[in-house]
Amino acid sequence: MSDVPPPPPPPPASPPPPGMPGMPGAGASEEKNNLGTIALVLGILGLVCCGIFTAIPAIIVGKKSQEAEAQGLATNGNLGKIGVILGWIGVALSIVAIILNGILLATGSWDYF
């Protein structure tokens, strides 16, 4: 027999870079990307039917989406920005509607029957 030493063990594997597809922890950026979409949907609902009840959450979630983009955790901060704009428009329209309804009720011009 010969005195050949055994081969050295393989070097330890380095961890994969964060956010690689199919790797654990990759869902963090997708979760933050959902914030922009949620803000956009809430902003649209604030304009169309729900008024101030979804417009204010659109502003809040849109700001969170923009913060996530600034930190590099999301890639769709523009949707959050649009959600914030639609949220502010929804708040303004809701306030105008409340004022107009108050004026109509105060002057007695609110007759449907």
Side-chain angles (χ1 to χ4, degrees):
M1 304 242 191
S2 65
D3 291 328
V4 177
S14 62
M20 290 287 295
M23 297 291 175
S29 66
E30 287 184 21
E31 180 180 337
K32 296 292 183 177
N33 272 337
N34 287 340
L35 290 175
T37 306
I38 292 170
L40 180 66
V41 169
L42 288 172
I44 292 171
L45 287 175
L47 285 178
V48 175
C49 62
C50 299
I52 205 163
F53 298 110
T54 57
I56 292 175
I59 296 168
I60 295 168
V61 175
K63 291 287 186 185
K64 294 282 187 189
S65 171
Q66 290 175 330
E67 290 173 7
E69 184 189 31
Q71 295 172 355
L73 300 174
T75 58
N76 65 350
N78 286 338
L79 289 180
K81 185 175 185 178
I82 294 168
V84 169
I85 292 168
L86 291 176
W88 280 116
I89 293 171
V91 167
L93 290 176
S94 295
I95 291 172
V96 168
I98 290 169
I99 291 171
L100 287 177
N101 284 330
I103 290 171
L104 289 175
L105 284 173
T107 60
S109 301
W110 191 258
D111 283 335
Y112 280 122
F113 303 109

